[in-house]
Amino acid sequence: MAQSVTLFEDTPLELVLGGMLSPINIAYQTYGTLNADKSNAVLLCHALTGDAEPYYAAPADKGWWQDFIGSGLAFDTDKYFFICSNVLGGCKGTTGPASINPMTNQPYGSQFPVITVQDIVRVQKALIDYLEIPHLKAVVGGSFGGMQATQWAIYYPDFVDNIVNLCSSLTLSAEAIGFNHVMRQAIINDPNFNGGDYYQGMAPDNGLKIARMLGMLTYRTDIQLAKAFGRETKQHTEVWGDYFQVESYLSYQGIKFLDRFDANSYLRLLRALDLYDPTLGFENEQAALSRIKANYTLVGVTSDQLFKQVDLHKSKQQLENSGVPVDFYEFHSNFGHDAFLVDYAFFEEMIKKGLAK
Amino acid sequence: MAQSVTLFEDTPLELVLGGMLSPINIAYQTYGTLNADKSNAVLLCHALTGDAEPYYAAPADKGWWQDFIGSGLAFDTDKYFFICSNVLGGCKGTTGPASINPMTNQPYGSQFPVITVQDIVRVQKALIDYLEIPHLKAVVGGSFGGMQATQWAIYYPDFVDNIVNLCSSLTLSAEAIGFNHVMRQAIINDPNFNGGDYYQGMAPDNGLKIARMLGMLTYRTDIQLAKAFGRETKQHTEVWGDYFQVESYLSYQGIKFLDRFDANSYLRLLRALDLYDPTLGFENEQAALSRIKANYTLVGVTSDQLFKQVDLHKSKQQLENSGVPVDFYEFHSNFGHDAFLVDYAFFEEMIKKGLAK
């Protein structure tokens, strides 16, 4: 069970693209022990559909970084004090579209504002301040979490020693925005969506299921799906319906997702992914990126179909053009984009190095 | 305006996976002149959403291979007599789900049977017989059309001299089946779909639009979309809606598709793509592929995101394992899968060579 704190009660958060939120509940979890001089704190930033608990103590459940966190592991709980919080706009304990709007006593729904990575990071900073942590040894994130890590180094250059950005680029590609667009349309066109105000009735489950299935295809690789399913068909099945095993797998993933995610949150966070631009609020790219003082580690997977290598290479170049040296690693993994969640053997050393600088 | 003929009036077509159809209307078009000994006929097989008219004589319109067909071009109308027909199950003049079922005098809709590439090819063969063409110099197709070309060489090994298969593999990958699954679900879940019996009311336009947008993303490449749109936004627009130019482009493509395609046909043809297996009806792969006597040309594009190079390489190997020599070419094109429709400079020589053997 994640911990929780309510902030922005007296002073609302003014959102970067307009609007404000007050109060903001933040779900978070910590692992390891903060040392006496408070110099070993590391913030973990979750990806699009993650939550505040990358590791569950209960043996039956698995957190999204379950195998990465522990004594002697990539995220070494003997050395560091890890903090992870659910993002603003999410649906896992932090204020989001399904939360009660204190002005109406109804869920925000369609009234929830547009959220950016910048807003998410400012809420994380408020949590770190509340925890009385004066400095972060590192901010680490994969995918959407990597964008948060980058923004930390831009907003709070003296506060962070190390950034570790996994499978993510400075901005999202046109193609990836395109996939997000298709996912959004699937949700918005669901007959239950009702402009986002569906909390009194049926949720737009079919739309969210379709979106999740498409998302899964961009997180995986053709090689992995060929190995796992190939062209195998289900037994005793009709040609219409889930005839191939890969269809059955996707449908299962889509349905499983409905239990743990809210369509409005998914829409808001997808849009934050599209919109992320480190330049926002600064005169130009150079003005934003040159603020970074942290050591910057960037790790890419050559088979990543969502954050393609051409975009990671471009990000490396942009950072270096602004005077930010980048420790850049790339490797092949059949897991593609999801490698940062599952391919421990590859990431262990780079994460350890990136944290320890 | 395509020509048209009605066949299978007295003898219904017995479909490979069960069911029968009678009669079958076939829309087709021809280009060039059949020579005296009828030795210069070439069948062009269209891809998923193509039609019987790759070239339009009227200057205002453009066929899907408009720039490839003509005097001296890749498909040289001075040398060859080209025939192209709309596939069975389509919606461009050949019998499909929107056609009138003579048993009910209503559109087939949900009652239209499952169609395979094998059925499509048998209808094409009936057309060629009707046209009294005793032999084909070549069968050419890209993507779904490439599968048809392969099946021609298996079913009618003595009838065809040359197969030219562009951007297609012998079977569809698990990943591509996954994309088709997502597209199908978007259509099936549209509130207007009504199990396929929507011809009396509103069509499942939103679902078909979403499917088409996703299809477009698999036909194009990240490089091409980055060049064309990057992260450009539309002017005077809301963050919700088509905010980025790439979204506007996809939405436009999706809406444009509604004017020219029927959702039921799209579902049937997607499934035929998934199901295509040259082994169907034969004891094993070797028994099917070793029937091929035609010269076999296979052309792939390294950036193809739908028919990936790993699958084309595998197809080449499968054919060679069954004693079919393959002239294999691959090259890079920013256009990805759609290269075979637009990248004339790359394909001209290989098509000319492949036809002339």
Side-chain angles (χ1 to χ4, degrees), chain A residues 172 175 181 184 231 239 241-243 247 251 271 274 305 308, chain B residues 172 175 181 184 231 239 241-243 247 251 271 274 276 305 308:
Chain A
L172 203 65
E175 181 182 66
H181 177 66
R184 271 189 293 271
R231 295 180 48 78
V239 169
D242 291 350
Y243 180 75
E247 294 180 290
S251 292
R271 203 40 145 183
D274 293 350
Q305 305 204 85
K308 291 191 170 163
Chain B
L172 204 65
E175 181 182 66
H181 177 68
R184 270 189 294 271
R231 295 181 48 78
V239 169
D242 292 350
Y243 180 74
E247 294 180 289
S251 293
R271 202 41 143 182
D274 292 351
Y276 181 57
Q305 305 203 85
K308 291 191 171 164

PDB file of all heavy atoms in Angstrom, chain A residues 172 175 181 184 231 239 241-243 247 251 271 274 305 308, chain B residues 172 175 181 184 231 239 241-243 247 251 271 274 276 305 308:
ATOM      1  N   LEU A 172       8.739  13.418 -28.407  1.00  0.00           N
ATOM      2  CA  LEU A 172       8.138  12.260 -29.070  1.00  0.00           C
ATOM      3  C   LEU A 172       8.137  12.481 -30.592  1.00  0.00           C
ATOM      4  O   LEU A 172       7.929  13.590 -31.066  1.00  0.00           O
ATOM      5  CB  LEU A 172       6.707  12.085 -28.561  1.00  0.00           C
ATOM      6  CG  LEU A 172       6.107  10.688 -28.687  1.00  0.00           C
ATOM      7  CD1 LEU A 172       6.842   9.685 -27.804  1.00  0.00           C
ATOM      8  CD2 LEU A 172       4.639  10.693 -28.317  1.00  0.00           C
ATOM      9  N   GLU A 175       5.634   9.838 -35.622  1.00  0.00           N
ATOM     10  CA  GLU A 175       5.014   8.514 -35.704  1.00  0.00           C
ATOM     11  C   GLU A 175       4.382   8.122 -34.369  1.00  0.00           C
ATOM     12  O   GLU A 175       3.244   7.621 -34.337  1.00  0.00           O
ATOM     13  CB  GLU A 175       6.057   7.470 -36.100  1.00  0.00           C
ATOM     14  CG  GLU A 175       5.474   6.091 -36.227  1.00  0.00           C
ATOM     15  CD  GLU A 175       6.523   5.045 -36.572  1.00  0.00           C
ATOM     16  OE1 GLU A 175       7.417   4.785 -35.740  1.00  0.00           O
ATOM     17  OE2 GLU A 175       6.451   4.495 -37.669  1.00  0.00           O
ATOM     18  N   HIS A 181      -2.481   9.260 -31.227  1.00  0.00           N
ATOM     19  CA  HIS A 181      -3.707   9.810 -31.822  1.00  0.00           C
ATOM     20  C   HIS A 181      -4.728   8.693 -32.061  1.00  0.00           C
ATOM     21  O   HIS A 181      -5.907   8.834 -31.719  1.00  0.00           O
ATOM     22  CB  HIS A 181      -3.350  10.497 -33.147  1.00  0.00           C
ATOM     23  CG  HIS A 181      -4.515  11.037 -33.905  1.00  0.00           C
ATOM     24  ND1 HIS A 181      -5.296  12.069 -33.442  1.00  0.00           N
ATOM     25  CD2 HIS A 181      -5.053  10.685 -35.100  1.00  0.00           C
ATOM     26  CE1 HIS A 181      -6.257  12.332 -34.325  1.00  0.00           C
ATOM     27  NE2 HIS A 181      -6.125  11.498 -35.334  1.00  0.00           N
ATOM     28  N   ARG A 184      -6.129   7.543 -28.761  1.00  0.00           N
ATOM     29  CA  ARG A 184      -7.093   8.515 -28.226  1.00  0.00           C
ATOM     30  C   ARG A 184      -8.426   8.433 -28.946  1.00  0.00           C
ATOM     31  O   ARG A 184      -9.488   8.486 -28.318  1.00  0.00           O
ATOM     32  CB  ARG A 184      -6.541   9.944 -28.371  1.00  0.00           C
ATOM     33  CG  ARG A 184      -5.710  10.410 -27.209  1.00  0.00           C
ATOM     34  CD  ARG A 184      -5.403  11.899 -27.334  1.00  0.00           C
ATOM     35  NE  ARG A 184      -4.528  12.159 -28.464  1.00  0.00           N
ATOM     36  CZ  ARG A 184      -3.210  12.154 -28.409  1.00  0.00           C
ATOM     37  NH1 ARG A 184      -2.592  11.913 -27.276  1.00  0.00           N
ATOM     38  NH2 ARG A 184      -2.479  12.403 -29.478  1.00  0.00           N
ATOM     39  N   ARG A 231       2.372 -17.916 -35.733  1.00  0.00           N
ATOM     40  CA  ARG A 231       1.059 -17.952 -36.356  1.00  0.00           C
ATOM     41  C   ARG A 231       0.165 -19.014 -35.700  1.00  0.00           C
ATOM     42  O   ARG A 231      -0.807 -19.488 -36.298  1.00  0.00           O
ATOM     43  CB  ARG A 231       1.202 -18.228 -37.861  1.00  0.00           C
ATOM     44  CG  ARG A 231       1.915 -17.096 -38.595  1.00  0.00           C
ATOM     45  CD  ARG A 231       2.072 -17.356 -40.069  1.00  0.00           C
ATOM     46  NE  ARG A 231       0.838 -17.787 -40.683  1.00  0.00           N
ATOM     47  CZ  ARG A 231      -0.181 -16.982 -41.020  1.00  0.00           C
ATOM     48  NH1 ARG A 231      -0.105 -15.686 -40.779  1.00  0.00           N
ATOM     49  NH2 ARG A 231      -1.256 -17.474 -41.588  1.00  0.00           N
ATOM     50  N   VAL A 239     -13.150 -18.394 -36.870  1.00  0.00           N
ATOM     51  CA  VAL A 239     -12.261 -17.501 -37.621  1.00  0.00           C
ATOM     52  C   VAL A 239     -12.480 -16.050 -37.177  1.00  0.00           C
ATOM     53  O   VAL A 239     -11.549 -15.265 -37.076  1.00  0.00           O
ATOM     54  CB  VAL A 239     -12.474 -17.657 -39.135  1.00  0.00           C
ATOM     55  CG1 VAL A 239     -11.751 -16.555 -39.902  1.00  0.00           C
ATOM     56  CG2 VAL A 239     -11.974 -19.021 -39.593  1.00  0.00           C
ATOM     57  N   GLY A 241     -13.353 -13.533 -34.116  1.00  0.00           N
ATOM     58  CA  GLY A 241     -12.964 -13.667 -32.713  1.00  0.00           C
ATOM     59  C   GLY A 241     -11.460 -13.812 -32.627  1.00  0.00           C
ATOM     60  O   GLY A 241     -10.747 -13.569 -33.598  1.00  0.00           O
ATOM     61  N   ASP A 242     -10.982 -14.205 -31.451  1.00  0.00           N
ATOM     62  CA  ASP A 242      -9.540 -14.331 -31.239  1.00  0.00           C
ATOM     63  C   ASP A 242      -9.069 -15.671 -31.781  1.00  0.00           C
ATOM     64  O   ASP A 242      -8.946 -16.650 -31.044  1.00  0.00           O
ATOM     65  CB  ASP A 242      -9.206 -14.203 -29.745  1.00  0.00           C
ATOM     66  CG  ASP A 242      -9.431 -12.790 -29.244  1.00  0.00           C
ATOM     67  OD1 ASP A 242      -9.661 -11.887 -30.074  1.00  0.00           O
ATOM     68  OD2 ASP A 242      -9.371 -12.595 -28.027  1.00  0.00           O
ATOM     69  N   TYR A 243      -8.786 -15.702 -33.058  1.00  0.00           N
ATOM     70  CA  TYR A 243      -8.442 -16.944 -33.743  1.00  0.00           C
ATOM     71  C   TYR A 243      -6.959 -17.276 -33.544  1.00  0.00           C
ATOM     72  O   TYR A 243      -6.604 -18.397 -33.228  1.00  0.00           O
ATOM     73  CB  TYR A 243      -8.780 -16.781 -35.219  1.00  0.00           C
ATOM     74  CG  TYR A 243      -8.489 -17.973 -36.088  1.00  0.00           C
ATOM     75  CD1 TYR A 243      -9.300 -19.100 -36.050  1.00  0.00           C
ATOM     76  CD2 TYR A 243      -7.401 -17.966 -36.961  1.00  0.00           C
ATOM     77  CE1 TYR A 243      -9.036 -20.188 -36.860  1.00  0.00           C
ATOM     78  CE2 TYR A 243      -7.140 -19.047 -37.777  1.00  0.00           C
ATOM     79  CZ  TYR A 243      -7.957 -20.159 -37.725  1.00  0.00           C
ATOM     80  OH  TYR A 243      -7.692 -21.229 -38.530  1.00  0.00           O
ATOM     81  N   GLU A 247      -3.715 -12.682 -31.054  1.00  0.00           N
ATOM     82  CA  GLU A 247      -4.939 -11.895 -30.815  1.00  0.00           C
ATOM     83  C   GLU A 247      -5.452 -12.134 -29.401  1.00  0.00           C
ATOM     84  O   GLU A 247      -5.886 -11.206 -28.708  1.00  0.00           O
ATOM     85  CB  GLU A 247      -6.020 -12.296 -31.819  1.00  0.00           C
ATOM     86  CG  GLU A 247      -5.681 -11.938 -33.249  1.00  0.00           C
ATOM     87  CD  GLU A 247      -6.791 -12.371 -34.198  1.00  0.00           C
ATOM     88  OE1 GLU A 247      -6.966 -13.587 -34.413  1.00  0.00           O
ATOM     89  OE2 GLU A 247      -7.486 -11.490 -34.714  1.00  0.00           O
ATOM     90  N   SER A 251      -5.893  -9.316 -26.590  1.00  0.00           N
ATOM     91  CA  SER A 251      -7.198  -9.110 -25.956  1.00  0.00           C
ATOM     92  C   SER A 251      -7.081  -9.262 -24.436  1.00  0.00           C
ATOM     93  O   SER A 251      -7.657  -8.481 -23.676  1.00  0.00           O
ATOM     94  CB  SER A 251      -8.214 -10.116 -26.494  1.00  0.00           C
ATOM     95  OG  SER A 251      -8.482  -9.836 -27.856  1.00  0.00           O
ATOM     96  N   ARG A 271      -1.337  12.587 -23.869  1.00  0.00           N
ATOM     97  CA  ARG A 271      -1.157  13.935 -24.416  1.00  0.00           C
ATOM     98  C   ARG A 271       0.068  14.618 -23.809  1.00  0.00           C
ATOM     99  O   ARG A 271       0.777  15.369 -24.509  1.00  0.00           O
ATOM    100  CB  ARG A 271      -2.411  14.760 -24.161  1.00  0.00           C
ATOM    101  CG  ARG A 271      -2.595  15.921 -25.103  1.00  0.00           C
ATOM    102  CD  ARG A 271      -2.233  15.594 -26.519  1.00  0.00           C
ATOM    103  NE  ARG A 271      -3.073  16.254 -27.514  1.00  0.00           N
ATOM    104  CZ  ARG A 271      -2.951  16.048 -28.819  1.00  0.00           C
ATOM    105  NH1 ARG A 271      -2.039  15.208 -29.291  1.00  0.00           N
ATOM    106  NH2 ARG A 271      -3.736  16.657 -29.667  1.00  0.00           N
ATOM    107  N   ASP A 274       2.963  13.392 -25.814  1.00  0.00           N
ATOM    108  CA  ASP A 274       3.045  14.118 -27.093  1.00  0.00           C
ATOM    109  C   ASP A 274       3.619  15.519 -26.899  1.00  0.00           C
ATOM    110  O   ASP A 274       4.443  15.986 -27.683  1.00  0.00           O
ATOM    111  CB  ASP A 274       1.643  14.366 -27.689  1.00  0.00           C
ATOM    112  CG  ASP A 274       0.937  13.115 -28.133  1.00  0.00           C
ATOM    113  OD1 ASP A 274       1.557  12.041 -28.178  1.00  0.00           O
ATOM    114  OD2 ASP A 274      -0.277  13.224 -28.433  1.00  0.00           O
ATOM    115  N   GLN A 305      10.496   0.243 -30.838  1.00  0.00           N
ATOM    116  CA  GLN A 305       9.619   0.689 -31.926  1.00  0.00           C
ATOM    117  C   GLN A 305       8.876   1.974 -31.577  1.00  0.00           C
ATOM    118  O   GLN A 305       8.188   2.535 -32.424  1.00  0.00           O
ATOM    119  CB  GLN A 305       8.599  -0.412 -32.274  1.00  0.00           C
ATOM    120  CG  GLN A 305       9.273  -1.725 -32.603  1.00  0.00           C
ATOM    121  CD  GLN A 305       8.422  -2.630 -33.470  1.00  0.00           C
ATOM    122  OE1 GLN A 305       8.423  -2.517 -34.685  1.00  0.00           O
ATOM    123  NE2 GLN A 305       7.689  -3.532 -32.853  1.00  0.00           N
ATOM    124  N   LYS A 308      12.472   5.433 -31.238  1.00  0.00           N
ATOM    125  CA  LYS A 308      13.414   4.820 -32.164  1.00  0.00           C
ATOM    126  C   LYS A 308      14.809   5.414 -31.996  1.00  0.00           C
ATOM    127  O   LYS A 308      14.973   6.531 -31.509  1.00  0.00           O
ATOM    128  CB  LYS A 308      12.878   4.958 -33.586  1.00  0.00           C
ATOM    129  CG  LYS A 308      11.641   4.061 -33.733  1.00  0.00           C
ATOM    130  CD  LYS A 308      11.140   3.888 -35.132  1.00  0.00           C
ATOM    131  CE  LYS A 308      10.076   2.797 -35.126  1.00  0.00           C
ATOM    132  NZ  LYS A 308       9.237   2.786 -36.307  1.00  0.00           N
TER     133      LYS A 308
ATOM    134  N   LEU B 172       1.815 -13.741 -42.982  1.00  0.00           N
ATOM    135  CA  LEU B 172       1.856 -12.515 -42.186  1.00  0.00           C
ATOM    136  C   LEU B 172       2.463 -12.802 -40.804  1.00  0.00           C
ATOM    137  O   LEU B 172       2.228 -13.858 -40.230  1.00  0.00           O
ATOM    138  CB  LEU B 172       0.431 -11.976 -42.032  1.00  0.00           C
ATOM    139  CG  LEU B 172       0.299 -10.480 -41.759  1.00  0.00           C
ATOM    140  CD1 LEU B 172       0.792  -9.664 -42.939  1.00  0.00           C
ATOM    141  CD2 LEU B 172      -1.144 -10.106 -41.455  1.00  0.00           C
ATOM    142  N   GLU B 175       3.120  -9.938 -35.350  1.00  0.00           N
ATOM    143  CA  GLU B 175       2.938  -8.507 -35.078  1.00  0.00           C
ATOM    144  C   GLU B 175       1.907  -7.896 -36.024  1.00  0.00           C
ATOM    145  O   GLU B 175       1.022  -7.144 -35.592  1.00  0.00           O
ATOM    146  CB  GLU B 175       4.268  -7.770 -35.238  1.00  0.00           C
ATOM    147  CG  GLU B 175       4.156  -6.295 -34.953  1.00  0.00           C
ATOM    148  CD  GLU B 175       5.471  -5.556 -35.162  1.00  0.00           C
ATOM    149  OE1 GLU B 175       5.945  -5.481 -36.317  1.00  0.00           O
ATOM    150  OE2 GLU B 175       6.018  -5.071 -34.181  1.00  0.00           O
ATOM    151  N   HIS B 181      -5.684  -7.165 -35.817  1.00  0.00           N
ATOM    152  CA  HIS B 181      -6.628  -7.421 -34.713  1.00  0.00           C
ATOM    153  C   HIS B 181      -7.134  -6.103 -34.122  1.00  0.00           C
ATOM    154  O   HIS B 181      -8.345  -5.929 -33.909  1.00  0.00           O
ATOM    155  CB  HIS B 181      -5.918  -8.261 -33.650  1.00  0.00           C
ATOM    156  CG  HIS B 181      -6.730  -8.531 -32.426  1.00  0.00           C
ATOM    157  ND1 HIS B 181      -7.855  -9.331 -32.442  1.00  0.00           N
ATOM    158  CD2 HIS B 181      -6.588  -8.115 -31.140  1.00  0.00           C
ATOM    159  CE1 HIS B 181      -8.362  -9.397 -31.210  1.00  0.00           C
ATOM    160  NE2 HIS B 181      -7.613  -8.661 -30.415  1.00  0.00           N
ATOM    161  N   ARG B 184      -9.511  -4.479 -36.545  1.00  0.00           N
ATOM    162  CA  ARG B 184     -10.818  -5.156 -36.557  1.00  0.00           C
ATOM    163  C   ARG B 184     -11.646  -4.783 -35.337  1.00  0.00           C
ATOM    164  O   ARG B 184     -12.848  -4.537 -35.425  1.00  0.00           O
ATOM    165  CB  ARG B 184     -10.625  -6.675 -36.587  1.00  0.00           C
ATOM    166  CG  ARG B 184     -10.542  -7.260 -37.962  1.00  0.00           C
ATOM    167  CD  ARG B 184     -10.565  -8.787 -37.903  1.00  0.00           C
ATOM    168  NE  ARG B 184      -9.385  -9.325 -37.247  1.00  0.00           N
ATOM    169  CZ  ARG B 184      -8.251  -9.623 -37.873  1.00  0.00           C
ATOM    170  NH1 ARG B 184      -8.148  -9.453 -39.163  1.00  0.00           N
ATOM    171  NH2 ARG B 184      -7.225 -10.106 -37.209  1.00  0.00           N
ATOM    172  N   ARG B 231       7.095  17.735 -35.395  1.00  0.00           N
ATOM    173  CA  ARG B 231       6.234  18.062 -34.254  1.00  0.00           C
ATOM    174  C   ARG B 231       5.433  19.348 -34.524  1.00  0.00           C
ATOM    175  O   ARG B 231       4.970  20.015 -33.584  1.00  0.00           O
ATOM    176  CB  ARG B 231       7.080  18.205 -32.987  1.00  0.00           C
ATOM    177  CG  ARG B 231       7.744  16.880 -32.595  1.00  0.00           C
ATOM    178  CD  ARG B 231       8.566  17.005 -31.326  1.00  0.00           C
ATOM    179  NE  ARG B 231       7.864  17.681 -30.251  1.00  0.00           N
ATOM    180  CZ  ARG B 231       6.935  17.122 -29.485  1.00  0.00           C
ATOM    181  NH1 ARG B 231       6.600  15.863 -29.659  1.00  0.00           N
ATOM    182  NH2 ARG B 231       6.344  17.821 -28.532  1.00  0.00           N
ATOM    183  N   VAL B 239      -5.742  21.895 -27.638  1.00  0.00           N
ATOM    184  CA  VAL B 239      -4.861  20.776 -27.302  1.00  0.00           C
ATOM    185  C   VAL B 239      -5.599  19.461 -27.523  1.00  0.00           C
ATOM    186  O   VAL B 239      -5.024  18.483 -27.967  1.00  0.00           O
ATOM    187  CB  VAL B 239      -4.355  20.903 -25.856  1.00  0.00           C
ATOM    188  CG1 VAL B 239      -3.663  19.619 -25.415  1.00  0.00           C
ATOM    189  CG2 VAL B 239      -3.394  22.073 -25.748  1.00  0.00           C
ATOM    190  N   GLY B 241      -8.307  17.387 -29.776  1.00  0.00           N
ATOM    191  CA  GLY B 241      -8.553  17.489 -31.211  1.00  0.00           C
ATOM    192  C   GLY B 241      -7.249  17.279 -31.954  1.00  0.00           C
ATOM    193  O   GLY B 241      -6.267  16.820 -31.383  1.00  0.00           O
ATOM    194  N   ASP B 242      -7.240  17.585 -33.240  1.00  0.00           N
ATOM    195  CA  ASP B 242      -6.049  17.388 -34.074  1.00  0.00           C
ATOM    196  C   ASP B 242      -5.085  18.546 -33.858  1.00  0.00           C
ATOM    197  O   ASP B 242      -5.068  19.511 -34.611  1.00  0.00           O
ATOM    198  CB  ASP B 242      -6.440  17.279 -35.550  1.00  0.00           C
ATOM    199  CG  ASP B 242      -7.213  15.999 -35.835  1.00  0.00           C
ATOM    200  OD1 ASP B 242      -7.276  15.124 -34.948  1.00  0.00           O
ATOM    201  OD2 ASP B 242      -7.728  15.882 -36.952  1.00  0.00           O
ATOM    202  N   TYR B 243      -4.280  18.427 -32.829  1.00  0.00           N
ATOM    203  CA  TYR B 243      -3.386  19.508 -32.430  1.00  0.00           C
ATOM    204  C   TYR B 243      -2.109  19.496 -33.268  1.00  0.00           C
ATOM    205  O   TYR B 243      -1.664  20.519 -33.766  1.00  0.00           O
ATOM    206  CB  TYR B 243      -3.074  19.351 -30.946  1.00  0.00           C
ATOM    207  CG  TYR B 243      -2.154  20.385 -30.362  1.00  0.00           C
ATOM    208  CD1 TYR B 243      -2.610  21.677 -30.114  1.00  0.00           C
ATOM    209  CD2 TYR B 243      -0.837  20.078 -30.031  1.00  0.00           C
ATOM    210  CE1 TYR B 243      -1.772  22.633 -29.559  1.00  0.00           C
ATOM    211  CE2 TYR B 243       0.001  21.014 -29.477  1.00  0.00           C
ATOM    212  CZ  TYR B 243      -0.462  22.285 -29.240  1.00  0.00           C
ATOM    213  OH  TYR B 243       0.372  23.233 -28.700  1.00  0.00           O
ATOM    214  N   GLU B 247      -1.493  14.399 -36.665  1.00  0.00           N
ATOM    215  CA  GLU B 247      -2.844  13.958 -36.303  1.00  0.00           C
ATOM    216  C   GLU B 247      -3.842  14.383 -37.366  1.00  0.00           C
ATOM    217  O   GLU B 247      -4.741  13.630 -37.757  1.00  0.00           O
ATOM    218  CB  GLU B 247      -3.253  14.550 -34.957  1.00  0.00           C
ATOM    219  CG  GLU B 247      -2.424  14.045 -33.806  1.00  0.00           C
ATOM    220  CD  GLU B 247      -2.865  14.673 -32.492  1.00  0.00           C
ATOM    221  OE1 GLU B 247      -2.625  15.884 -32.285  1.00  0.00           O
ATOM    222  OE2 GLU B 247      -3.458  13.958 -31.672  1.00  0.00           O
ATOM    223  N   SER B 251      -6.143  11.910 -39.558  1.00  0.00           N
ATOM    224  CA  SER B 251      -7.600  12.080 -39.554  1.00  0.00           C
ATOM    225  C   SER B 251      -8.119  12.284 -40.972  1.00  0.00           C
ATOM    226  O   SER B 251      -9.149  11.717 -41.363  1.00  0.00           O
ATOM    227  CB  SER B 251      -7.998  13.267 -38.678  1.00  0.00           C
ATOM    228  OG  SER B 251      -7.708  12.989 -37.327  1.00  0.00           O
ATOM    229  N   ARG B 271      -8.696 -10.261 -42.727  1.00  0.00           N
ATOM    230  CA  ARG B 271      -8.633 -11.633 -42.238  1.00  0.00           C
ATOM    231  C   ARG B 271      -8.000 -12.554 -43.263  1.00  0.00           C
ATOM    232  O   ARG B 271      -7.254 -13.481 -42.894  1.00  0.00           O
ATOM    233  CB  ARG B 271     -10.035 -12.110 -41.867  1.00  0.00           C
ATOM    234  CG  ARG B 271     -10.070 -13.249 -40.893  1.00  0.00           C
ATOM    235  CD  ARG B 271      -9.058 -13.115 -39.783  1.00  0.00           C
ATOM    236  NE  ARG B 271      -9.532 -13.577 -38.488  1.00  0.00           N
ATOM    237  CZ  ARG B 271      -8.820 -13.504 -37.380  1.00  0.00           C
ATOM    238  NH1 ARG B 271      -7.611 -12.966 -37.389  1.00  0.00           N
ATOM    239  NH2 ARG B 271      -9.307 -13.933 -36.230  1.00  0.00           N
ATOM    240  N   ASP B 274      -4.329 -12.184 -42.805  1.00  0.00           N
ATOM    241  CA  ASP B 274      -3.874 -12.974 -41.638  1.00  0.00           C
ATOM    242  C   ASP B 274      -3.795 -14.455 -41.969  1.00  0.00           C
ATOM    243  O   ASP B 274      -2.850 -15.151 -41.604  1.00  0.00           O
ATOM    244  CB  ASP B 274      -4.895 -12.891 -40.485  1.00  0.00           C
ATOM    245  CG  ASP B 274      -5.018 -11.548 -39.847  1.00  0.00           C
ATOM    246  OD1 ASP B 274      -4.201 -10.658 -40.146  1.00  0.00           O
ATOM    247  OD2 ASP B 274      -5.959 -11.378 -39.040  1.00  0.00           O
ATOM    248  N   TYR B 276      -3.642 -16.087 -44.762  1.00  0.00           N
ATOM    249  CA  TYR B 276      -2.968 -16.642 -45.935  1.00  0.00           C
ATOM    250  C   TYR B 276      -1.840 -17.577 -45.528  1.00  0.00           C
ATOM    251  O   TYR B 276      -0.921 -17.218 -44.784  1.00  0.00           O
ATOM    252  CB  TYR B 276      -2.418 -15.577 -46.880  1.00  0.00           C
ATOM    253  CG  TYR B 276      -1.760 -16.269 -48.066  1.00  0.00           C
ATOM    254  CD1 TYR B 276      -2.497 -17.162 -48.846  1.00  0.00           C
ATOM    255  CD2 TYR B 276      -0.410 -16.096 -48.355  1.00  0.00           C
ATOM    256  CE1 TYR B 276      -1.907 -17.867 -49.892  1.00  0.00           C
ATOM    257  CE2 TYR B 276       0.179 -16.791 -49.408  1.00  0.00           C
ATOM    258  CZ  TYR B 276      -0.571 -17.677 -50.162  1.00  0.00           C
ATOM    259  OH  TYR B 276       0.008 -18.382 -51.180  1.00  0.00           O
ATOM    260  N   GLN B 305       7.588  -1.560 -42.304  1.00  0.00           N
ATOM    261  CA  GLN B 305       7.192  -1.834 -40.923  1.00  0.00           C
ATOM    262  C   GLN B 305       6.076  -2.875 -40.846  1.00  0.00           C
ATOM    263  O   GLN B 305       5.728  -3.317 -39.748  1.00  0.00           O
ATOM    264  CB  GLN B 305       6.732  -0.548 -40.231  1.00  0.00           C
ATOM    265  CG  GLN B 305       7.782   0.551 -40.303  1.00  0.00           C
ATOM    266  CD  GLN B 305       7.627   1.596 -39.223  1.00  0.00           C
ATOM    267  OE1 GLN B 305       8.106   1.432 -38.112  1.00  0.00           O
ATOM    268  NE2 GLN B 305       6.947   2.678 -39.533  1.00  0.00           N
ATOM    269  N   LYS B 308       8.216  -7.079 -42.511  1.00  0.00           N
ATOM    270  CA  LYS B 308       9.587  -6.768 -42.110  1.00  0.00           C
ATOM    271  C   LYS B 308      10.584  -7.669 -42.823  1.00  0.00           C
ATOM    272  O   LYS B 308      10.252  -8.772 -43.251  1.00  0.00           O
ATOM    273  CB  LYS B 308       9.697  -6.840 -40.596  1.00  0.00           C
ATOM    274  CG  LYS B 308       8.908  -5.676 -39.977  1.00  0.00           C
ATOM    275  CD  LYS B 308       9.127  -5.457 -38.512  1.00  0.00           C
ATOM    276  CE  LYS B 308       8.438  -4.135 -38.138  1.00  0.00           C
ATOM    277  NZ  LYS B 308       8.248  -3.978 -36.699  1.00  0.00           N
TER     278      LYS B 308
END
